[in-house]
Amino acid sequence: MYLEHFGLSDYPFDGLPDRRFYYVGGAQHQSLGLLTTALSRSGSICVLSGPSGAGKTTLVRMLMRSLPRRMRIITIDDPRTEPTMLLATILRASGVVATSLESVADLTLKLRTMLEQSIAQGIITTVICDEAQGLSDEVLEQIRYIFDLEGEGGKMINFLLVGQDELLTHLDKPAHAMLKSRIKIFTQLPALKSEEVGAYLAYRLQQVDCMQPLFTKRAIAVITKKSQGLPRALNAIADMSLTLAAQKKKPSVDVGTVKRAAHLVRFNQVGFKQTAKMWLRELFSTGLYARLGVIVGAAACAFGAFFGAIYLNEHYHPVLTLEEGLISDSEVKARYQDLTSYLFQGRSAQSRELYLFNQAVAQAYFKSEAFATLFKLHGYALTQDNGDGTITEDVLAEVKLQSLNQNGTLAEAVSYNTPVVIGLIDDNLTPFYAVLYQISDDIGQLIIGNYMFDVKLSYLEERYQGSFTLLFPYIGDLSDLQSKTTDVRKAMQKTLSPYLERYRQHALESTNREANLALTLYDEQKTAVEQARRAVRQGLINQVGLDKSDDQIEQEVSAKLEGALAEDATYQAALVNMLAAEQKSTELEERALRIRAISLLLNDGFERALQLYLDDQNLEELNYSAVALLTLSFSDGPRLINVVPFQAAEPTADIGLNLEQILSQAQEQAPERDKAQRARSQAARPELPLPQQLHNMQQHRSAPQLTQLSWKEGGAC
């Protein structure tokens, strides 16, 4: 119907129970957690209530999935059952032969036997009664009798009563006081709040591969009003709205379309005329005048009770008003001022930042917007002339960039040392997207919409959803390296050769530096060995004595020296350290010779340089993740943390440094980084020429390794 028009993979508002589309809001999450905890063991009666269409049945389906495997779940959907039929239904669902023609005593005995056997086998029995507001008083009393059956371990069965709000009124009857006292949990499933409706619509659209918002803000407000926050009504209005918008070829759903859809699905059928007719019919009916005396009497009693309570309260229990309490009590006044400063927007910097952050998160449900921000950080921005504003792979190729979508930890995302788009989750368990721009110490800077926020790394680690996207210099299709066409393969090698040559030079410099350090350490350990040898020799001379001739002393010392050296711990430790330093120096010199022998100008130079890089990174083949790390290490793009890539003492086994290593390097190099930043800020920043083929783009590239971003509402970076 409208799938092809909006590019959707499935109907997002079909209304059928589908686990993909289940939106877990605050109330749903709390109810699901409470019921799962209570029903995971025997001996609980729980009540789940809510208006019709609030999603109670769907929540029960999710609950059944989350309960333990060794759980026997029995559902009773028809409330018009009788006590004997209730017992027989539970027994038959448990595999016991029973009929409603048997007596209650016989059925109860069978039920007790079945429950005791189930408890012995570790099986928990839970009975779910849907539409429980229609259960008769006798059936509710029978539920209490069944629940009171106890074995050696206590209660042996669970009950979950699911119904509309009338169920609570039904349970408040005096006849059900004993049953109500046994109920462990009362939980309600209210309608969605106004701020949750937009998240609900965005979440279901994301599940069908919709990357653009389809409903305007005013349309969402009308949907909230017409549906009163009930998911069933929401699905019907949203589905009809998309159908009408597709028929008129509209790119999005506006207010008029939503109002028309609400009228068609008959959620605003009762208008002014119908309301007036209903009141007039009730006004002139005989039933109203027959109840008029009771109504007048009840009104008089309520009037007397109200003014009587006011009189007694004023004369016997005088209470200060809120204003008087604030004026007279300094502590209350101070707390009230702190609370208002925190809650009301603009009263303090903290509340204003929190408000802006929540507002930005509420509008960051689509990854395409965060990806456009990442595109800006690399120096480019799409203009309004660029079609629908979508950043495709062709657009990236024109500006010599390439994207990489990865699933991994936050440490892996940071290891590339470039701003990344990361998926997070908000307080309502709804995914949103932001650009992780920069990290320093334990603070990460997030760009959401037109604002930049400082958040703690612990917040990012808790909310991170395991996926990230980054941009790196364009290299093309890696499969070209395996192409049988010589020109294609040579072209790809020519693209990667500058990066491999820089890596080779860096590896050679690092190896030479480490070899010099190892050689210096070898000389130091060699001196330590000689000093320990002299100390042992001198000790032997002192033992022999000075009353003998020099030749005798020399002979005795020479005979005992080797054995004394073998037993001296200081000498042996120094000897082991010297040999280790010598071996390390030899290995580094051999590595330097191998690296120095690599020349990309020779026929096999590219393969040898590539193998050097793969061996250092413990990779079997060159993939896009390794290419991104290689090219970003020697590019002048924006940096997530201002550290020099591959600045480890020796090649690391991982593709990139972990988060702790990067942060420690950033702290160690802070003075040099600050000095470089001051030099860059004083230097002139020439604008790059605008390529002729990019007439539909604006290029505003800034200096490399940008460390501070001036990000204002409506502005650009």
Side-chain angles (χ1 to χ4, degrees):
M1 188 178 296
Y2 53 78
L3 298 184
E4 183 177 355
H5 177 72
F6 292 109
L8 307 180
S9 60
D10 199 354
Y11 292 102
F13 305 106
D14 204 9
L16 298 177
D18 193 335
R19 189 178 183 182
R20 293 178 302 160
F21 299 124
Y22 185 64
Y23 172 78
V24 182
Q28 290 83 354
H29 179 70
Q30 181 181 9
S31 299
L32 187 60
L34 290 173
L35 294 176
T36 301
T37 303
L39 298 177
S40 295
R41 55 185 184 273
S42 295
S44 297
I45 299 180
C46 303
V47 174
L48 173 62
S49 61
S52 178
K56 299 186 296 299
T57 303
T58 307
L59 179 64
V60 170
R61 292 178 182 271
M62 297 299 295
L63 173 65
M64 294 169 64
R65 293 175 179 268
S66 60
L67 289 175
R69 292 185 177 179
R70 296 186 65 83
M71 171 74 70
R72 179 188 294 119
I73 299 177
I74 303 171
T75 59
I76 298 177
D77 299 324
D78 190 356
R80 298 170 298 178
T81 185
E82 297 179 355
T84 54
M85 182 60 70
L86 175 65
L87 288 167
T89 301
I90 296 175
L91 288 170
R92 286 198 298 268
S94 304
V96 179
V97 177
T99 65
S100 59
L101 300 178
E102 300 180 55
S103 65
V104 174
D106 293 339
L107 293 174
T108 303
L109 180 59
K110 289 184 178 181
L111 179 62
R112 175 184 286 277
T113 304
M114 182 272 295
L115 291 177
E116 289 176 349
Q117 294 175 355
S118 299
I119 292 296
Q121 297 173 4
I123 299 175
I124 302 173
T125 303
T126 297
V127 180
I128 301 176
C129 299
D130 201 3
E131 301 295 337
Q133 74 276 0
L135 295 176
S136 63
D137 295 340
E138 293 78 10
V139 173
L140 290 176
E141 190 67 11
Q142 185 62 49
I143 289 176
R144 181 178 70 84
Y145 291 145
I146 296 174
F147 180 74
D148 286 341
L149 295 177
E150 293 190 5
E152 295 181 358
K155 305 293 185 182
M156 298 185 292
I157 193 170
N158 294 330
F159 279 95
L160 174 60
L161 305 181
V162 183
Q164 300 179 17
D165 295 334
E166 292 82 358
L167 174 61
L168 302 179
T169 306
H170 195 18
L171 293 174
D172 284 336
K173 294 180 179 180
H176 304 311
M178 298 181 67
L179 173 62
K180 187 176 181 181
S181 64
R182 288 165 170 76
I183 296 177
K184 189 173 184 178
I185 290 177
F186 284 91
T187 180
Q188 286 186 306
L189 198 61
L192 296 177
K193 300 178 182 178
S194 57
E195 59 270 17
E196 292 180 324
V197 174
Y200 174 86
L201 298 175
Y203 175 79
R204 295 187 73 112
L205 287 172
Q206 288 177 7
Q207 303 310 307
V208 294
D209 303 328
C210 178
M211 295 294 106
Q212 300 291 339
L214 297 183
F215 294 88
T216 64
K217 293 182 179 180
R218 293 185 60 193
I220 294 175
V222 174
I223 292 177
T224 304
K225 180 180 179 181
K226 296 293 184 181
S227 65
Q228 297 181 353
L230 298 177
R232 184 182 300 166
L234 273 172
N235 292 336
I237 296 177
D239 186 74
M240 182 58 67
S241 298
L242 292 176
T243 302
L244 296 178
Q247 291 176 353
K248 296 183 179 180
K249 306 298 182 181
K250 292 184 177 181
S252 61
V253 179
D254 54 15
V255 176
T257 304
V258 170
K259 290 183 178 180
R260 177 61 178 166
H263 178 76
L264 290 177
V265 298
R266 304 177 67 182
F267 280 103
N268 62 342
Q269 180 184 13
V270 180
F272 176 76
K273 293 182 179 180
Q274 290 78 3
T275 304
K277 290 180 179 180
M278 181 180 64
W279 278 101
L280 289 174
R281 189 182 303 111
E282 182 67 18
L283 181 62
F284 292 103
S285 65
T286 57
L288 174 64
Y289 294 101
R291 298 190 300 268
L292 187 58
V294 178
I295 295 174
V296 172
C301 292
F303 182 83
F306 176 75
F307 284 99
I310 292 178
Y311 175 80
L312 294 175
N313 189 45
E314 290 179 350
H315 287 77
Y316 297 99
H317 299 283
V319 179
L320 293 175
T321 62
L322 178 61
E323 291 79 5
E324 293 172 345
L326 292 175
I327 294 173
S328 60
D329 193 325
S330 58
E331 182 179 357
V332 174
K333 183 177 180 179
R335 292 190 178 185
Y336 177 75
Q337 290 177 348
D338 293 341
L339 180 62
T340 54
S341 298
Y342 181 78
L343 292 179
F344 293 109
Q345 174 190 358
R347 292 292 297 269
S348 65
Q350 182 181 6
S351 64
R352 183 166 56 254
E353 292 176 0
L354 180 61
Y355 173 80
L356 292 176
F357 181 78
N358 291 331
Q359 289 293 104
V361 168
Q363 301 175 3
Y365 294 129
F366 293 94
K367 186 177 179 181
S368 57
E369 299 177 358
F371 189 75
T373 301
L374 182 65
F375 191 61
K376 290 181 181 180
L377 292 179
H378 282 266
Y380 306 96
L382 293 177
T383 64
Q384 296 179 353
D385 299 333
N386 184 253
D388 57 356
T390 303
I391 302 175
T392 62
E393 292 297 331
D394 295 336
V395 174
L396 291 176
E398 290 181 0
V399 296
K400 302 302 180 184
L401 290 175
Q402 200 162 346
S403 64
L404 176 67
N405 299 315
Q406 288 283 94
N407 292 325
T409 63
L410 184 62
E412 293 175 355
V414 172
S415 66
Y416 293 91
N417 196 21
T418 186
V420 292
V421 174
I422 58 176
L424 301 169
I425 190 170
D426 63 10
D427 294 334
N428 293 326
L429 304 181
T430 302
F432 71 95
Y433 298 91
V435 176
L436 179 58
Y437 172 67
Q438 206 168 54
I439 290 179
S440 60
D441 298 332
D442 62 340
I443 299 297
Q445 292 182 334
L446 286 182
I447 298 178
I448 307 176
N450 292 332
Y451 297 94
M452 174 181 287
F453 303 96
D454 292 342
V455 299
K456 289 187 176 295
L457 289 180
S458 58
Y459 174 88
L460 298 179
E461 293 171 353
E462 293 174 0
R463 304 301 182 94
Y464 178 65
Q465 291 297 290
S467 64
F468 59 89
T469 301
L470 55 90
L471 294 176
F472 64 95
Y474 181 80
I475 55 95
D477 191 351
L478 276 181
S479 62
D480 291 348
L481 286 176
Q482 310 300 327
S483 175
K484 297 181 180 180
T485 305
T486 304
D487 294 341
V488 174
R489 186 173 65 255
K490 291 293 184 181
M492 175 54 68
Q493 292 180 359
K494 183 178 180 181
T495 302
L496 290 176
S497 292
Y499 298 104
L500 290 175
E501 175 61 22
R502 294 190 64 179
Y503 179 80
R504 188 196 69 83
Q505 294 176 359
H506 180 87
L508 180 59
E509 294 172 359
S510 177
T511 304
N512 288 333
R513 182 166 56 253
E514 294 169 2
N516 292 333
L517 292 175
L519 185 60
T520 302
L521 180 61
Y522 169 75
D523 293 338
E524 294 176 354
Q525 294 301 321
K526 185 176 181 181
T527 302
V529 169
E530 187 61 31
Q531 291 176 352
R533 182 185 180 89
R534 287 198 298 267
V536 173
R537 179 182 175 81
Q538 185 62 41
L540 293 176
I541 293 174
N542 294 336
Q543 292 178 4
V544 172
L546 301 177
D547 55 345
K548 299 180 181 180
S549 65
D550 292 343
D551 293 338
Q552 292 176 343
I553 293 175
E554 183 64 28
Q555 288 179 356
E556 293 185 17
V557 169
S558 300
K560 298 179 179 180
L561 182 60
E562 294 300 327
L565 291 176
E567 296 178 356
D568 187 73
T570 303
Y571 175 82
Q572 293 298 325
L575 183 62
V576 170
N577 292 336
M578 183 188 72
L579 295 176
E582 182 181 13
Q583 181 180 1
K584 185 67 175 179
S585 176
T586 302
E587 292 176 355
L588 291 172
E589 288 178 358
E590 292 177 355
R591 172 180 165 83
L593 289 175
R594 291 196 303 269
I595 298 175
R596 197 177 292 112
I598 298 175
S599 174
L600 272 77
L601 299 178
L602 300 179
N603 291 334
D604 61 343
F606 177 84
E607 287 77 8
R608 295 181 64 186
L610 179 59
Q611 192 61 43
L612 170 67
Y613 175 69
L614 295 178
D615 291 342
D616 289 347
Q617 304 303 321
N618 277 349
L619 296 174
E620 297 182 358
E621 60 179 359
L622 189 67
N623 53 28
Y624 286 100
S625 177
V627 168
L629 182 64
L630 174 65
T631 56
L632 287 171
S633 301
F634 303 108
S635 67
D636 61 348
R639 296 293 182 190
L640 184 64
I641 300 174
N642 288 311
V643 297
V644 179
F646 302 106
Q647 195 61 34
E650 58 185 29
T652 176
D654 298 328
I655 294 179
L657 301 176
N658 59 35
L659 188 58
E660 290 77 13
Q661 291 174 326
I662 290 179
L663 291 177
S664 63
Q665 289 192 10
Q667 294 174 356
E668 293 173 359
Q669 299 183 4
E672 292 79 8
R673 184 173 66 249
D674 295 341
K675 182 178 179 181
Q677 291 174 4
R678 288 194 295 271
R680 285 198 300 269
S681 62
Q682 295 174 0
R685 298 180 179 178
E687 295 184 357
L688 297 179
L690 180 65
Q692 184 176 1
Q693 66 271 23
L694 301 181
H695 62 277
N696 60 336
M697 298 185 183
Q698 294 177 347
Q699 183 180 13
H700 44 90
R701 193 77 179 259
S702 59
Q705 298 187 3
L706 190 64
T707 58
Q708 185 60 40
L709 181 64
S710 177
W711 194 264
K712 300 180 180 179
E713 186 173 6
C717 65

